[in-house]
Amino acid sequence: MTSSSAIRFLYGLQLFGIKAGLENITRLLAVTGHPERSYPTIHIAGTNGKGSVSSMLAAMLTAAGYRTGLYTSPHLADFSERIRVDGKPIPLDAVVTLTRALEPVIRKTRATFFEATTAIAFEYFRDAGVDIAVIETGLGGRLDATNVVQPLVSVITNIGLDHMEYLGTTLHAIAREKGGIIKPGVPAVTGVRMKSVFHQLRAIARSRQAALHQSRDLVRAEILQRGLDGLLLSLTTPRHKLPEVMVELPGDHQAENVETALSAVELLPCGIRNRLTAGSMIRGLSEIRRLSGLRARLEILQKNPPVILDVAHNPHGMAAATASLGNVLPGRWLVVFGAMKDKDYGGMLEHLYGHSRLIIAVEPRTPRALGSREIIKFLHARGFKGVDGHTVDNGVRMGFAERRPGEPVLITGSHYVAGEALKFLNCAR
């Protein structure tokens, strides 16, 4: 088995779609002796922000000297981005070795792509000797393949309407699924602000005798300055008063993510928490991309004129991204936009209308992609100016040709769009 054939085999498992339940992942992990039990974990769910919070936590833990595993999804440009240790992606030879070892049971159980990838991640972290692993859910929480871990802390970033065909059509139905990661007796924290949803999560926590905290009750982040390079925050935690902390990620919504990440730190056992000094937290937050590998969160690929990449893929995420970007780049932008068929693309586009001079519709190379023609029909029916860029590569090329002098270009709508744009622009690393 070569690296290309191993990746091809794993991608081929997408044929089995998405399966809710823990039976397959439990059987896969039993074959390798349950590696997920050999190191402590932090488990993170949420509709938006879970990737940023996961990466913030991993970066701070790495800055504190812990050998840190990080499992996130989806990837942007390369499969190995999903599984990292101290910010470095899993080597391809490790993917081959672990895929070969698991292939018989993967075939026998008809495991999905995500189930197989989760098993590979857990085993790789054990082989790599991680001190702690930050584990992000793929979809939902209660029946997500990652929900076999017994974490030190459970984290729920926020809850919005997304993946409704799997998780339910109301915020409360989705909250039940996300709240499924709360474990008996394990402290939990959430960035959820809506009272009724928080009360529902608290009821789940109480039924499991787990203490649930709202992040803002533990940590306060005040925005001092906004810029394309990130946020300057004043932070107050139970242990520290940090008057000026630079967070590498731009966007006001990242201040809430910082509150959630630092709240999770405060709930860790004291033996781990005490090594997370003010210095390691400051360094982790100021070097998130290098220490965790996080990309495409209002990432500035070019400053003059600005080219911005973001993975917002639902209305809540797009609202946060456009509002934050509008604070530092007022005026109109040229937007390259693509989305998946199962997403509320109309809701996303509504947040782009007021900021966009022109929207170029694109269609990433995946069967899940919404056709660029459908996006154009939607725009034209509402009297908005849009042109069909067809592929992501061509749409980005058109965007650079069509933009006016100094006009910012925003590339957004999906992880798939961001990943293909990175490859086209040779920015993937």
Side-chain angles (χ1 to χ4, degrees):
M1 182 180 283
T2 64
S3 59
S4 58
S5 64
I7 299 295
R8 208 163 41 242
F9 168 72
L10 292 171
Y11 282 155
L13 301 176
Q14 292 174 329
L15 173 69
F16 300 125
I18 295 172
K19 294 179 185 175
L22 305 181
E23 182 180 351
N24 273 2
I25 187 65
T26 301
R27 291 176 68 185
L28 285 169
L29 295 171
V31 170
T32 51
H34 286 285
E36 79 285 2
R37 299 174 185 172
S38 63
Y39 42 81
T41 59
I42 300 171
H43 199 197
I44 302 173
T47 303
N48 292 302
K50 60 180 178 174
S52 294
V53 171
S54 297
S55 297
M56 289 173 183
L57 281 165
M60 288 188 287
L61 287 162
T62 298
Y66 288 107
R67 187 162 174 77
T68 308
L70 175 62
Y71 180 50
T72 60
S73 62
H75 63 268
L76 293 177
D78 187 87
F79 171 86
S80 61
E81 298 168 23
R82 293 169 175 258
I83 306 167
R84 294 177 178 269
V85 172
D86 292 343
K88 298 178 179 61
I90 182 173
L92 289 177
D93 60 352
V95 176
V96 172
T97 300
L98 295 171
T99 302
R100 185 189 297 122
L102 286 167
E103 182 180 2
V105 69
I106 288 172
R107 291 188 183 278
K108 185 175 181 180
T109 60
R110 295 170 68 85
T112 66
F113 171 77
F114 188 72
E115 288 168 338
T117 302
T118 300
I120 288 170
F122 289 160
E123 176 63 11
Y124 177 65
F125 292 154
R126 180 171 66 180
D127 292 349
V130 301
D131 300 312
I132 190 168
V134 180
I135 308 296
E136 178 193 324
T137 60
L139 181 65
R142 182 175 65 93
L143 298 175
D144 187 81
T146 63
N147 204 27
V148 293
V149 299
Q150 294 296 318
L152 301 174
V153 180
S154 303
V155 183
I156 301 171
T157 56
N158 62 49
I159 291 172
L161 296 175
D162 200 4
H163 299 295
M164 290 182 286
E165 69 276 30
Y166 300 108
L167 304 180
T169 57
T170 67
L171 289 177
H172 292 89
I174 294 171
R176 281 194 296 273
E177 296 302 315
K178 307 286 187 186
I181 73 165
I182 298 172
K183 301 295 192 304
V186 174
V189 63
T190 181
V192 166
R193 300 281 188 263
M194 188 180 294
K195 284 187 178 180
S196 61
V197 177
F198 173 74
H199 290 159
Q200 184 173 9
L201 292 175
R202 187 169 60 184
I204 294 171
R206 283 175 173 170
S207 72
R208 297 170 189 177
Q209 297 182 309
L212 176 67
H213 305 263
Q214 277 189 305
S215 56
R216 186 148 290 183
D217 290 339
L218 293 174
V219 176
R220 286 298 178 108
E222 179 187 351
I223 299 174
L224 303 177
Q225 188 175 317
R226 302 171 175 89
L228 290 177
D229 294 324
L231 292 175
L232 185 65
L233 301 180
S234 169
L235 297 173
T236 304
T237 81
R239 294 183 299 144
H240 302 288
K241 174 70 175 176
L242 307 175
E244 290 190 354
V245 179
M246 187 66 192
V247 178
E248 193 177 22
L249 307 177
D252 286 16
H253 54 288
Q254 296 296 356
E256 292 186 10
N257 289 333
V258 169
E259 290 177 341
T260 302
L262 289 177
S263 295
V265 168
E266 293 302 319
L267 296 176
L268 289 169
C270 60
I272 295 175
R273 182 181 66 232
N274 289 344
R275 276 183 62 183
L276 282 152
T277 62
S280 62
M281 290 190 291
I282 291 169
R283 180 173 167 235
L285 292 173
S286 67
E287 299 180 40
I288 295 169
R289 292 193 179 106
R290 186 180 70 81
L291 294 174
S292 75
L294 183 69
R295 302 207 61 184
R297 271 62 175 183
L298 290 179
E299 181 176 356
I300 310 303
L301 301 181
Q302 175 184 303
K303 282 192 174 181
N304 190 21
V307 177
I308 304 102
L309 188 69
D310 193 77
V311 295
H313 55 279
N314 53 48
H316 183 273
M318 192 63 72
T322 53
S324 294
L325 197 57
N327 286 331
V328 293
L329 283 178
R332 299 295 180 113
W333 322 317
L334 189 148
V335 176
V336 178
F337 176 86
M340 299 297 102
K341 294 173 186 174
D342 57 344
K343 298 296 181 180
D344 181 4
Y345 66 94
M348 287 190 276
L349 287 168
E350 285 178 7
H351 292 293
L352 287 168
Y353 293 151
H355 298 280
S356 310
R357 177 183 66 83
L358 171 68
I359 294 177
I360 298 175
V362 296
E363 183 177 340
R365 296 185 297 271
T366 171
R368 287 183 56 209
L370 177 69
S372 55
R373 288 183 181 179
E374 292 302 310
I375 297 172
I376 293 301
K377 287 179 184 177
F378 184 90
L379 291 172
H380 289 176
R382 286 152 184 79
F384 198 84
K385 187 177 180 182
V387 296
D388 192 347
H390 305 291
T391 67
V392 174
D393 291 7
N394 191 60
V396 172
R397 191 182 295 113
M398 285 177 63
F400 286 1
E402 292 285 339
R403 71 174 169 187
R404 294 170 179 171
E407 185 175 48
V409 174
L410 171 65
I411 305 167
T412 190
S414 166
H415 284 79
Y416 293 94
V417 172
E420 290 187 26
L422 278 173
K423 285 183 177 179
F424 175 70
L425 296 169
N426 293 318
C427 292
R429 58 177 183 269

